[in-house]
Amino acid sequence: AKTLVIAIDGPAAAGKGTLAKRLAIHYRLHYLDTGLLYRAVGRKAQAAGLDLDNPEEMTPIARDLNFHDIDEPSLRGREAGELASRVAAHSGVRQALNAFQREFAAQPGGALLDGRDIGTVICPDADVKIFVTASAEVRARRRTDELNAKGRTVVYERILEEVRQRDDRDSNRAVSPLKAADDAHLLDTSELSIDGVFRKACSLIDAQI
Ligand code: C5P
């Protein structure tokens, strides 16, 4: 049978990660959260005391990244997300990470990748592309509730500001800006539950494979 490749893109906190993990299990696909790669570069650069806004310092860090020791728990969180979004603006960094992502997508058994440029740059020939969105307010509300539930006291307005800043940086950068591919299905999660998002995505995928 032909191997299936699914591309999931969208802004921060739209529910991409949750959806992507469930879909990968459901369709039995290898799963890659590509944000982790950029987060790992950001963290490594910060730990080395380098200038995250300098492409000449960041590209070698991305080239030398060892994909086997990406430690997911330490890369979660808002700070690593901020660092990621700064290093992700450099074309040298993106290029250094592209080959790994493309190889991952091409492996036997099929793959599902989530990120910002999967449908546009990494896997332009993906079988199904889904662009997950939600209003900035809804995303900030969800993130605020999630953090408060973990016992971290955060203020909605502050989180909304962070969500907007990240959108702005990701959408306006020169290389691979956050943008839906022309052939992506838009999936607005603002009014849907997690299960509702999953069901909708499955029906989009099933109709296309
Ligand atoms: O998805 P996540 O929040 O982990 O991504 C962190 C940051 O990494 C994003 O805000 C974006 O700037 C960058 N990123 C990217 N391209 C990807 C995945 C993430 O530019 N494919």
Side-chain angles (χ1 to χ4, degrees), residues 74-86:
S74 72
L75 296 172
R76 293 274 150 236
R78 292 144 71 202
E79 201 208 334
E82 278 300 306
L83 301 176
S85 138
R86 282 167 65 191

Side-chain angles (χ1 to χ4, degrees), residues 12 16 33-36 38-39 76 81 84-85 88 94 101 114-118 166 170 173:
K16 266 190 331 276
D33 169 357
T34 64
L36 286 178
Y38 294 92
R39 286 168 180 261
R76 293 274 150 236
S85 138
R94 305 198 70 86
Q101 296 175 75
D114 81 51
R116 301 291 187 288
D117 63 342
I118 308 304
R166 189 109 81 88
D170 289 351
R173 68 183 174 216

Side-chain angles (χ1 to χ4, degrees), residues 39-93:
R39 286 168 180 261
V41 172
R43 267 269 191 271
K44 209 170 147 189
Q46 193 199 38
L50 299 173
D51 175 7
L52 276 80
D53 299 313
N54 180 346
E56 263 135 55
E57 291 182 31
M58 290 308 103
T59 302
I61 299 286
R63 287 201 183 120
D64 294 344
L65 194 69
N66 186 342
F67 299 105
H68 297 287
D69 51 37
I70 288 176
D71 174 38
E72 176 162 356
S74 72
L75 296 172
R76 293 274 150 236
R78 292 144 71 202
E79 201 208 334
E82 278 300 306
L83 301 176
S85 138
R86 282 167 65 191
V87 301
H90 306 308
S91 66
V93 168

Side-chain angles (χ1 to χ4, degrees), residues 1-204:
K2 195 185 161 303
T3 58
L4 180 62
V5 175
I6 300 180
I8 311 278
D9 290 297
K16 266 190 331 276
T18 309
L19 173 65
K21 279 194 200 87
R22 274 183 81 170
L23 291 175
I25 292 169
H26 185 77
Y27 292 98
R28 296 170 181 270
L29 299 169
H30 299 288
Y31 168 54
L32 180 64
D33 169 357
T34 64
L36 286 178
L37 307 178
Y38 294 92
R39 286 168 180 261
V41 172
R43 267 269 191 271
K44 209 170 147 189
Q46 193 199 38
L50 299 173
D51 175 7
L52 276 80
D53 299 313
N54 180 346
E56 263 135 55
E57 291 182 31
M58 290 308 103
T59 302
I61 299 286
R63 287 201 183 120
D64 294 344
L65 194 69
N66 186 342
F67 299 105
H68 297 287
D69 51 37
I70 288 176
D71 174 38
E72 176 162 356
S74 72
L75 296 172
R76 293 274 150 236
R78 292 144 71 202
E79 201 208 334
E82 278 300 306
L83 301 176
S85 138
R86 282 167 65 191
V87 301
H90 306 308
S91 66
V93 168
R94 305 198 70 86
Q95 267 163 33
L97 300 177
N98 280 1
F100 173 79
Q101 296 175 75
R102 292 199 176 117
E103 279 163 30
F104 188 95
Q107 71 188 300
L112 183 150
L113 289 80
D114 81 51
R116 301 291 187 288
D117 63 342
I118 308 304
T120 50
V121 176
I122 303 295
C123 303
D125 299 325
D127 300 285
V128 187
K129 301 178 185 179
I130 301 178
F131 194 85
V132 184
T133 59
S135 69
E137 289 77 11
V138 166
R139 288 184 282 130
R141 169 53 55 205
R142 286 180 186 157
R143 182 135 295 178
T144 304
D145 293 347
E146 188 182 297
L147 290 165
N148 286 335
K150 283 187 196 151
R152 307 257 318 274
T153 316
V154 293
V155 181
Y156 167 78
E157 282 74 18
R158 173 83 200 284
I159 299 291
L160 178 60
E161 187 54 33
E162 284 180 12
V163 163
R164 289 204 170 118
Q165 272 172 17
R166 189 109 81 88
D167 282 0
D168 200 55
R169 197 183 291 140
D170 289 351
S171 309
N172 294 319
R173 68 183 174 216
V175 273
S176 300
L178 170 67
K179 181 171 149 299
D182 292 334
D183 53 351
H185 298 279
L186 296 186
L187 177 46
D188 188 334
T189 70
S190 302
E191 314 267 305
L192 297 172
S193 65
I194 291 176
D195 284 339
V197 174
F198 176 69
R199 280 196 299 270
K200 193 122 186 203
C202 286
S203 67
L204 292 173

